[in-house]
Amino acid sequence: MRIIRAKDYDDMSRKAANIISAQVIMKPDCVLGLATGGTPVGTYAQLVDWYNKGDIDFSQITSVNLDEYRGLKRDHEQSYWYFMHENLFNKVNVKPENIYVPNGSNMDADAACKEYDEIIEKVGGIDLQLLGIGEDGHIGFNEPADNFELGTHCVDLTESTIEANKRFFNSADEVPRQAYTMGIRTIMQARKVLMVANGKNKAQIIKDAFFGPVTPQVPASILQMHPDFILIGDEEALSLV
Ligand code: PGA
């Protein structure tokens, strides 16, 4: 595990974008595992800026996103499909046929999850997985549980996640209660994992996840065992470690 200290959010975003950009330059047809949430927005903005300057080319990459709300259509403004297009895909030259997000509008959870695992296998696994971290230690929507779920699966969101995500909806009642998420095995099989975290509200979970025991009650803690895991945090998020 490598920890990179960033001064602030912009510095964290630039450092993360640098690593993603290096990955794309070294392997132009790489598979990027991408993440939603407030934290990576600045990272995507930096990548778009470098793309506009001609410094990075996404034409050969494939992207597989971590998760999607169950029951939201792609064109719903809070779907992760929509988020990724608004923040990155519509602004760079990634090919639409190389973009994958779990199919939230397929209410048949078993079929949707199986299909997504097959896609990840077909594209050859993930070269670089970008992650945020939830205040309860979730990665993707892998919430605290009694065991690590391995493949793509359907989860019930915890109250803490619903509470954290309601800022994007009109009210907590509108936040979907379930999501499809990549499992822990898929994340752990990514050849490189890059986590971004900023803000005081992440300080305690960063300490628990990476300086405490490895346990499915803190799903991110498993990353302590990943051979190439980089955490980039701002001063606040790293203030307790
Ligand atoms: P955030 O979410 O980036 O909006 O804090 C992180 C997460 O829930 O994984």
Side-chain angles (χ1 to χ4, degrees), residues 34-38 41 44 65-90 99-106 141 157 165 168-170 174-176 178-180:
L34 297 178
T36 54
V41 168
Y44 296 143
N65 254 78
L66 271 177
D67 46 18
E68 180 61 281
Y69 288 116
R70 176 170 183 251
L72 289 197
K73 296 218 166 71
R74 282 179 170 182
D75 59 2
H76 190 289
E77 282 190 14
Q78 294 308 333
S79 79
Y80 288 167
W81 174 273
Y82 193 94
F83 174 101
M84 286 308 303
H85 283 75
E86 283 287 293
N87 284 283
L88 184 67
F89 298 150
N90 287 344
I99 293 171
Y100 299 99
V101 177
N103 183 0
S105 57
N106 184 354
F141 272 127
L157 305 190
N165 287 8
F168 301 115
F169 292 81
N170 292 324
E174 285 185 22
V175 185
Q178 288 187 312
Y180 299 141

Side-chain angles (χ1 to χ4, degrees), residues 35-63:
T36 54
T39 317
V41 168
T43 304
Y44 296 143
Q46 180 65 76
L47 289 171
V48 169
D49 185 42
W50 287 336
Y51 168 76
N52 287 333
K53 290 182 174 139
D55 290 338
I56 178 166
D57 172 20
F58 293 93
S59 64
Q60 294 179 62
I61 71 127
T62 294
S63 74

Side-chain angles (χ1 to χ4, degrees), residues 27 31 118-127 191:
K27 188 178 177 192
V31 177
E118 285 167 3
I119 288 168
I120 295 167
E121 201 180 318
K122 189 190 79 189
V123 301
I126 298 163
D127 289 299
R191 291 176 266 281

Side-chain angles (χ1 to χ4, degrees), residues 60-241:
Q60 294 179 62
I61 71 127
T62 294
S63 74
V64 285
N65 254 78
L66 271 177
D67 46 18
E68 180 61 281
Y69 288 116
R70 176 170 183 251
L72 289 197
K73 296 218 166 71
R74 282 179 170 182
D75 59 2
H76 190 289
E77 282 190 14
Q78 294 308 333
S79 79
Y80 288 167
W81 174 273
Y82 193 94
F83 174 101
M84 286 308 303
H85 283 75
E86 283 287 293
N87 284 283
L88 184 67
F89 298 150
N90 287 344
K91 299 177 175 174
V92 299
N93 63 341
V94 57
K95 293 203 178 91
E97 62 269 30
N98 290 343
I99 293 171
Y100 299 99
V101 177
N103 183 0
S105 57
N106 184 354
M107 295 305 283
D108 180 342
D110 288 345
C113 294
K114 182 163 176 282
E115 178 192 38
Y116 206 59
D117 280 338
E118 285 167 3
I119 288 168
I120 295 167
E121 201 180 318
K122 189 190 79 189
V123 301
I126 298 163
D127 289 299
L128 185 155
Q129 177 65 55
L130 178 64
L131 295 176
I133 183 169
E135 288 172 42
D136 61 0
H138 69 223
I139 46 178
F141 272 127
N142 291 278
E143 300 278 21
D146 292 335
N147 57 296
F148 292 111
E149 286 276 354
L150 302 179
T152 303
H153 57 287
C154 182
V155 287
D156 295 329
L157 305 190
T158 60
E159 279 310 313
S160 137
T161 300
I162 292 167
E163 197 51 33
N165 287 8
K166 75 174 186 200
R167 62 200 148 123
F168 301 115
F169 292 81
N170 292 324
S171 71
D173 289 345
E174 285 185 22
V175 185
R177 266 35 191 180
Q178 288 187 312
Y180 299 141
T181 183
M182 252 184 218
I184 294 293
R185 178 182 54 217
T186 313
I187 294 171
M188 287 298 282
Q189 282 177 343
R191 291 176 266 281
K192 183 186 274 298
V193 176
L194 173 62
M195 176 178 282
V196 281
N198 73 290
K200 270 202 195 69
N201 59 325
K202 299 291 170 69
Q204 185 62 48
I205 194 63
I206 292 289
K207 183 174 176 209
D208 294 347
F210 305 120
F211 295 86
V214 174
T215 162
Q217 293 299 336
V218 183
S221 64
I222 190 83
L223 294 166
Q224 292 181 37
M225 306 181 81
H226 191 281
D228 189 0
F229 169 54
I230 303 175
L231 164 65
I232 306 180
D234 74 346
E235 275 181 9
E236 289 187 343
L238 297 182
S239 58
L240 299 181
V241 301

